[in-house]
Amino acid sequence: MKIPNLLRVLAALLALSALSTATNLKGTVKNGTTGKPAAGDDVVLLDMSQGMQEAARTKSDAQGRFSFNYEETGGPHMVRALHQGVNYFPKGGIIPPGTTTAEVTVYDAAAKVPGIGLTVDMLRAQSEGSNLQVTELWVVKNPSSPPRTQMSDNAFEVMLPPEAQVDSSMASGPGGQPVNSAPVPQSEKNKYAFIFPLRPGETRFQVNYHLPYSGTIKTGPRPLYATDHVVIMLPKSMQFAGGGAGYQTMSGGDPDANIQVITNVNPGQDLSFNLSGTGTIQEGQQTATGGGGGQGGGMAQRRGGPGGGLGAPEETPDPLHRYRGFILGGLAVALALGVFYVVTRPKPAIAVSHAVPQQSAATTKRAAASPPRADVPPVALAPPRNGDRLLDALKEELFQLELERHQGKISADEYEKAKTALDTTLARAAKRTSS
């Protein structure tokens, strides 16, 4: 082949290659509150390979549709829709290369949404020199129906102990990765507020702080919301006295920790306890207050005082760790929470219609003390469906997978492959169960 002809062939191939990198991404924005298309919302395409650089911007049309034409860079992208001042992302967050469709669900926002409460308030404490190091994790539930997002300058408020110095803080929306979010001091002493949306589902907040400690202290959570479970996690070497709060020791938890639990907590209830002695929870991982590698470590660096500094863009997914789940900050807190869920979650009824499911004494006592809530359906007496059993088994397997990764029993590559397969199976099982 002559050189001029060869050059023309190469030029044509290069042109075809350039055309092949052009991608058309189409999608819709749906209003989950009204069940209708969300028209007129700002929709932004972000290039994750360039540090969340804006690649394109448009608005959803009257049918909630949007479209982007962009050059494929080989890296992941993300779509962000802004509705009534709150950002929303597609399920899963990251859009892999070659994806051509995306759907974003948004919700109407309000300053106050009825039914906001806590699933768990977990406090992990250990001594470190002249300080008591504390990590407190709140799991906030938004069961609103129709679903709405609570958003204001004090969307979620917490009370910290007197003399608490905030070291770091973070938040994570439903299905999102943890991001830096600084609690803002309020006019009431020791009260802080997060300017972070409470979307339908569960939102997690975590604050790492320290208190001056001389070997004994009276402290404890200060609930502002109705809370299903309060969990206190301490080293075995420290002495715990719960006073009259009604704490109970949780069996089957971390063998190196003392875990105390109290259920059905009311706002303002006295949960104080006395703590004495010294010690740390010896675990084979870095804690939230001790730093960490990669992008997670940057969230746990100590800041000078309450409020800290500016954090990462709200709800920014981590493209390097897209499969790492909901672990917030210190793995000790997340693993203890997982153990607590596995131990205390209701067991499925296996008896037929007239048989009564077996209940623990604590469950019976709570049921007698608490009137039925309108938003909680009665316990079914019929046998659970196969899909329910499958969902329970998959959730158990996901927790075991996280535990094995924490213990170093599997490699990062094995973890990602197993997590991807479980996520896919769980989504399909959930879809079949709900249909």
Side-chain angles (χ1 to χ4, degrees), residues 267-292:
Q269 185 172 335
D270 183 7
L271 300 178
S272 59
F273 56 85
N274 292 296
L275 188 64
S276 60
T278 61
T280 58
I281 300 173
Q282 300 298 324
E283 294 159 308
Q285 81 280 324
Q286 298 159 324
T287 65
T289 54

Side-chain angles (χ1 to χ4, degrees), residues 189-239:
K189 191 176 182 180
N190 305 320
K191 178 182 280 190
Y192 296 81
F194 285 88
I195 308 174
F196 192 91
L198 303 180
R199 301 175 179 88
E202 287 190 341
T203 303
R204 292 162 168 77
F205 296 90
Q206 180 175 301
V207 175
N208 305 316
Y209 57 90
H210 65 276
L211 300 165
Y213 184 63
S214 59
T216 61
I217 194 173
K218 183 176 182 179
T219 186
R222 303 175 65 184
L224 296 177
Y225 305 85
T227 306
D228 294 340
H229 308 286
V230 171
V231 183
I232 310 298
M233 183 177 181
L234 307 165
K236 286 283 190 182
S237 59
M238 299 186 77
Q239 290 75 50

